[in-house]
Amino acid sequence: RPGLAGRVLDTALLYPLRYNLQGAPAKSSLRALTWRFLKRQIQTGARGHDPTEDAAAAMELAQLKLRHGARFGLPGSEAGGTYASLLSSLAKAGWGCSVADRREALELLDESGARRVEVDSDEAGIAYAAAELSEPRRFVWLPLRELASAEATADQTSRAAALETLRSRLAELIAAAPPNTLVAVVGCGASAGGGATGGADKPSPSATSRPLGCVALTVVSGAAGGA
């Protein structure tokens, strides 16, 4: 409302999921923030939101931030951060980390521990990952998006072809990978805007509300015995 500018503390902005240097940060719900930082659940009744309960949780979260400082609860921060960046942690341990994706996705990445590699297709991404694995102790994050494009259509033939292409691409990568390589394939949901969403910040996410997004591929190459 007019006159409130500069006088409102938005808990979703005080505790971002990640930084997006090109725009607004990714946000958590009030329910997720309350669970994570205050260790209690809200909005569990039959009617869902309770305005008094929501207001109290928002106030406590704001007070917590003011009490501990601006860096409290930020991703990767030692000051109350609830999780450390996987890529930053691996980089500190001597791993070479990279993220291969489309340009628009890389622009959303605020990650000092990873090298950004722009690829314009899943085929190019697989080729990059296979080449990168020729060196030991490498971690590659590679979203494969052809399947998501096919899922956006109602054509069963296109979907079947996309699944077969995905299978062959993964087989190609696995065949090129050296011994002691871990390949983890994770199906990601998609938001209404088409971006991938993470569900770790929700105590009880609903699978039916998360349509298929992209297939995220993590490739780890290391010596026998692990990291």
Side-chain angles (χ1 to χ4, degrees), residues 58-78:
M59 176 64 76
E60 290 180 52
L61 287 166
Q63 290 174 332
L64 192 65
K65 185 79 168 187
L66 293 172
R67 186 161 58 247
H68 292 286
R71 290 198 56 79
F72 178 80
L74 297 184
S77 170
E78 296 180 0

Side-chain angles (χ1 to χ4, degrees), residues 24-115:
K27 299 178 181 179
S28 288
S29 66
L30 179 61
R31 180 187 179 194
L33 291 175
T34 303
W35 173 258
R36 186 181 304 155
F37 290 100
L38 303 179
K39 306 305 180 187
R40 69 171 185 265
Q41 290 199 21
I42 62 172
Q43 303 171 4
T44 58
R47 300 181 63 180
H49 288 275
D50 180 309
T52 302
E53 182 183 55
D54 288 356
M59 176 64 76
E60 290 180 52
L61 287 166
Q63 290 174 332
L64 192 65
K65 185 79 168 187
L66 293 172
R67 186 161 58 247
H68 292 286
R71 290 198 56 79
F72 178 80
L74 297 184
S77 170
E78 296 180 0
T82 54
Y83 59 92
S85 164
L86 173 62
L87 296 176
S88 295
S89 297
L90 287 173
K92 289 179 180 179
W95 286 72
C97 301
S98 58
V99 177
D101 205 346
R102 312 300 195 268
R103 176 183 298 178
E104 58 273 18
L106 292 176
E107 289 176 348
L108 302 179
L109 180 67
D110 178 32
E111 181 52 70
S112 58
R115 179 157 57 103

Side-chain angles (χ1 to χ4, degrees), residues 84-173:
S85 164
L86 173 62
L87 296 176
S88 295
S89 297
L90 287 173
K92 289 179 180 179
W95 286 72
C97 301
S98 58
V99 177
D101 205 346
R102 312 300 195 268
R103 176 183 298 178
E104 58 273 18
L106 292 176
E107 289 176 348
L108 302 179
L109 180 67
D110 178 32
E111 181 52 70
S112 58
R115 179 157 57 103
R116 298 168 176 81
V117 179
E118 182 180 340
V119 294
D120 58 6
S121 66
D122 287 1
E123 182 179 11
I126 290 289
Y128 166 77
E132 184 72 0
L133 293 181
S134 62
E135 299 292 332
R137 296 174 71 84
R138 289 293 187 268
F139 179 97
V140 180
W141 176 260
L142 174 64
L144 301 177
R145 302 183 181 278
E146 291 174 348
L147 181 59
S149 298
E151 285 289 334
T153 72
D155 185 358
Q156 294 292 338
T157 301
S158 297
R159 294 177 180 176
L163 282 170
E164 177 58 28
T165 299
L166 176 63
R167 185 203 64 77
S168 63
R169 294 205 194 288
L170 292 177
E172 174 188 346
L173 178 63

Side-chain angles (χ1 to χ4, degrees), residues 10 12-13 16-27 107-109:
D10 186 340
L13 298 179
L17 280 174
R18 70 173 186 275
Y19 294 118
N20 173 2
L21 298 183
Q22 303 298 319
K27 299 178 181 179
E107 289 176 348
L108 302 179
L109 180 67

